[in-house]
Amino acid sequence: QVQLVQSGAEVKKPGASVKVSCKASGYTFTTYDINWVRQAAGQGLEWMGWMNPNSGNTGYAQKFQGRISMTRNSSISTAYMELSSLKFDDTAIYYCTADSGDYVGNWFDPWGQGTLVTVSS
Amino acid sequence: DIQMTQSPSSLSASVGDRVTITCRASQSINTYLNWYQQKPGKAPNLLIYAASTLQSGVPSRFSGSGSGTHFSLTISSLQPEDFATYYCQESYNIPRTFGPGTKVEVK
């Protein structure tokens, strides 16, 4: 079945970087853009950016410009999201999701299981 | 950026109730509107895309409607497994903005 499996929980100090992986299976990896969405405890969903696994093209939310990078290794069907200069309020669950869709629009399905990133001194 | 709002932010309902959640966009987004359900500790799950198309496997008690700037999600007869938080999301533009969510709680 189509699924995205993410790497495990991380604990980082302020100012450090974190790199989360997202491995796709059940479909051709280059078919769908990979998006990243995060969710702080008790809060809503925050879109972070997208990456086209075929071209490597990316687009980031303005809030994260300059400290986010999305990359991929197509040989192992894996996307990566790296966030640098971590702050306490970057503590959140980070999700990858495939931007599916057709001529009627785009939608996020499936989703990875989420990766908890905790920023703590 | 397009701003998305939802109302109410939370509601209390009983099993069997008909529940409607509304979502508004700050500008016209045609029917580029999706709905997701999220249960505690789980990733969001796609319910409806393109404003009114039910995702495969989603029960028919869920329905979506609207276009332009006004949208709604209706659960015709609330079931115990439907107590969750619901998010709308526009796919008209980048960034792909989500609404703030509506929490459906047990009355």
Side-chain angles (χ1 to χ4, degrees), chain A residues 37 39 43-45 47 50 95 99 104-109 111-112, chain B residues 32 34 36 38 42-44 46 49 55 87 89 91 94-96 98:
Chain A
V37 175
Q39 185 173 39
Q43 302 301 307
L45 301 169
W47 181 83
W50 64 271
Y95 295 102
D99 192 339
V104 299
N106 294 79
W107 47 88
F108 290 168
D109 183 67
W111 293 65
Chain B
Y32 294 101
N34 308 314
Y36 301 86
Q38 187 180 33
K42 298 294 186 181
L46 177 69
Y49 61 90
Q55 170 68 342
Y87 294 93
Q89 180 217 18
S91 63
I94 295 291
R96 300 261 194 256
F98 290 90

Side-chain angles (χ1 to χ4, degrees), chain A residues 6-7 33 44 59 80 90:
Chain A
Q6 298 181 223
S7 50
D33 290 353
Y80 303 92
D90 289 319

Side-chain angles (χ1 to χ4, degrees), chain B residues 29-62:
Chain B
I29 57 171
N30 198 338
T31 56
Y32 294 101
L33 191 283
N34 308 314
W35 289 97
Y36 301 86
Q37 177 194 65
Q38 187 180 33
K39 296 181 180 180
K42 298 294 186 181
N45 182 51
L46 177 69
L47 293 177
I48 288 170
Y49 61 90
S52 61
T53 303
L54 206 62
Q55 170 68 342
S56 176
V58 174
S60 59
R61 62 181 179 272
F62 291 93

Side-chain angles (χ1 to χ4, degrees), chain A residues 39-60:
Chain A
Q39 185 173 39
Q43 302 301 307
L45 301 169
E46 181 176 31
W47 181 83
M48 302 179 71
W50 64 271
M51 180 194 66
N52 182 302
N54 189 38
S55 64
N57 288 345
T58 56
Y60 305 133

Side-chain angles (χ1 to χ4, degrees), chain A residues 31-86:
Chain A
T31 301
Y32 304 118
D33 290 353
I34 296 292
N35 285 240
W36 291 85
V37 175
R38 75 177 186 179
Q39 185 173 39
Q43 302 301 307
L45 301 169
E46 181 176 31
W47 181 83
M48 302 179 71
W50 64 271
M51 180 194 66
N52 182 302
N54 189 38
S55 64
N57 288 345
T58 56
Y60 305 133
Q62 189 166 8
K63 175 177 180 177
F64 303 103
Q65 291 276 0
R67 67 184 191 106
I68 192 170
S69 176
M70 295 179 185
T71 57
R72 86 287 193 208
N73 183 336
S74 297
S75 68
I76 56 171
S77 300
T78 300
Y80 303 92
M81 187 282 300
E82 184 168 20
L83 191 62
S84 62
S85 302
L86 288 170

Side-chain angles (χ1 to χ4, degrees), chain A residues 6-18:
Chain A
Q6 298 181 223
S7 50
E10 302 263 13
V11 179
K12 296 292 182 181
K13 293 191 183 301
S17 298
V18 67

